[in-house]
Amino acid sequence: MALVDTKKMFEMAYKNGYAVGAFNVNNMEITQGIISAIAEEKAPLILQISRGAREYASMSYLRAIIDVAVEENPDIPIAMHLDHGDTYETCKQCVDDGFTSVMIDGSHHSFEENIKITKQVVEYAHAHKVVVEAELGQLGGIEEDVVGVDDVAAHLTDPDQAVEFIERTGVDSLAVAIGTSHGAYKFKTEPKLAIDVIEKIQKLMPGYPLVMHGSSSVLKEFKDLINKYGGQMPDAMGVPEDAITEAVKMAICKVNIDTDLRMALTAKIRQVFAEKPGEFDPRKYLGPGREAIKAMVKHKLHVLNCAGKAAECL
Ligand code: G3H
Ligand code: 13P
Ligand code: ZN
């Protein structure tokens, strides 16, 4: 089956209280790890590509890897999504390149400018049967290309503004700022999420799908391995998985995960290098990394409650 958009996935996810995992892909091993987990758990899937990923691996290589994944898994609905599109031109290019979903991230602009740019992307994408995600409010933290804010509480999504934004832009899903941030250092002390923001939007717009960015949990297993084998991430902290499981019972239909993939791969590579200092065959350290990603993603699909839901999303 060909790539699909996220409409049916979100409809079923909303109705049945789960979310679809949106995993960032940057190379073959990461993609294979994700796909083999999905194939075993029979879950719908969003593979997302950031601007950094396109610069690193090139779109044609990533597209070819994803095409194989789609071809080999005809019973799994797979969407190809642009993560954090920064301009109308980038989004247009991705629509033209065959993405089935694009994100225009105008969250750093003023409300009116965000509406303007989102509307422009929606018009072009919808004319080409591609769905659009936008973002309102600002996430905290900093991760390479995606810059966040320091005062997280002051930049949470305003539920009334969200309604106006959705109505004026016609956007298909909305990423909300509820206290999460990108990367491995999400909280300094205790993790805290503004679940009431989700509840309020859900009340105002029943049935409308919301997206949670910055949703990695910074799993203890990988954090400990990294720190044990020469890494330095002692203060890394993610979103507790029970909070994610609660959020997906509500209006959160898409959960973005990148950092947990990076940490799984890094932890295993560090372990191999520490235990076998003479190892120089990339297959011998990338292979265990790929296996760790697979196990981690399988676990996540249960956290998101989307294991076994592929068929109903087709
Ligand atoms: O939202 C951020 C994602 O983790 C992508 O990160 O821009 O470094 O590829 P990246
Ligand atoms: P994490 O850094 O928490 O994995 O978030 C990824 C993300 O939101 C990609 O858009
Ligand atoms: Zn994000």
Side-chain angles (χ1 to χ4, degrees):
M1 120 176 242
L3 285 167
V4 299
D5 67 30
T6 55
K7 273 192 204 142
K8 180 87 178 179
M9 293 180 187
F10 289 173
E11 187 193 319
M12 299 315 289
Y14 195 101
K15 196 169 133 202
N16 295 327
Y18 61 89
V20 182
F23 298 96
N24 285 73
V25 291
N26 284 281
N27 68 7
M28 184 187 75
E29 283 79 7
I30 293 171
T31 315
Q32 287 178 327
I34 297 165
I35 290 288
S36 48
I38 289 283
E40 280 184 23
E41 296 291 340
K42 302 277 175 247
L45 173 65
I46 299 168
L47 289 174
Q48 55 186 12
I49 297 173
S50 68
R51 196 176 55 162
R54 295 194 315 146
E55 281 165 10
Y56 172 75
S58 95
M59 198 48 227
S60 45
Y61 274 88
L62 291 173
R63 180 65 212 248
I65 293 166
I66 292 173
D67 280 347
V68 175
V70 170
E71 207 178 291
E72 290 186 349
N73 295 279
D75 55 341
I76 305 288
I78 301 175
M80 185 168 76
H81 173 78
L82 167 66
D83 191 27
H84 293 283
D86 53 342
T87 60
Y88 169 77
E89 288 71 28
T90 304
C91 293
K92 180 181 180 297
Q93 184 63 56
C94 288
V95 169
D96 296 345
D97 284 347
F99 280 68
T100 54
S101 173
V102 293
M103 175 187 192
I104 174 68
D105 181 357
S107 61
H108 48 289
H109 293 304
S110 69
F111 184 62
E112 286 303 326
E113 189 58 29
N114 193 356
I115 287 185
K116 192 174 152 202
I117 186 175
T118 301
K119 228 172 135 184
Q120 209 186 355
V121 172
V122 166
E123 268 166 30
Y124 188 78
H126 283 186
H128 294 79
K129 300 200 182 330
V130 170
V131 292
V132 181
E133 172 187 327
E135 180 169 321
L136 187 65
Q138 280 181 281
L139 271 66
I142 293 178
E143 180 169 294
E144 289 178 30
D145 284 350
V146 184
V147 181
V149 292
D150 282 337
D151 186 1
V152 173
H155 295 84
L156 297 177
T157 305
D158 177 312
D160 293 316
Q161 271 199 345
V163 175
E164 183 183 343
F165 186 89
I166 293 161
E167 285 174 353
R168 286 177 60 190
T169 58
V171 75
D172 302 280
S173 63
L174 187 69
V176 286
I178 57 165
T180 66
S181 58
H182 293 113
Y185 302 89
K186 301 186 191 298
F187 307 99
K188 288 196 178 76
T189 51
E190 204 192 326
K192 223 174 149 208
L193 295 188
I195 296 288
D196 60 308
V197 169
I198 306 172
E199 281 167 350
K200 284 181 191 153
I201 300 174
Q202 183 157 22
K203 229 180 213 160
L204 293 167
M205 296 205 80
Y208 191 84
L210 301 179
V211 178
M212 198 166 146
H213 282 244
S215 308
S216 282
S217 316
V218 180
L219 293 150
K220 185 175 175 343
E221 173 192 353
F222 301 123
K223 180 178 152 177
D224 287 352
L225 277 179
I226 288 172
N227 288 326
K228 180 174 175 188
Y229 292 116
Q232 279 185 1
M233 303 184 73
D235 301 325
M237 198 189 297
V239 180
E241 290 186 332
D242 53 355
I244 295 174
T245 301
E246 278 311 302
V248 307
K249 289 182 193 153
M250 300 192 279
I252 297 292
C253 294
K254 173 174 178 272
V255 168
N256 285 14
I257 296 172
D258 187 3
T259 294
D260 284 340
L261 298 165
R262 296 178 183 200
M263 287 185 70
L265 186 58
T266 302
K268 283 295 159 181
I269 292 174
R270 279 196 177 279
Q271 185 176 17
V272 173
F273 284 166
E275 289 174 351
K276 297 180 194 157
E279 186 55 70
F280 66 98
D281 180 345
R283 295 169 297 187
K284 300 282 168 53
Y285 50 87
L286 292 175
R290 182 172 59 186
E291 277 306 305
I293 285 175
K294 177 182 174 183
M296 189 277 289
V297 172
K298 282 184 73 155
H299 162 74
K300 287 286 169 187
L301 300 174
H302 292 277
V303 172
L304 303 181
N305 191 28
C306 66
K309 305 292 200 306
E312 69 181 35
C313 296
L314 283 168

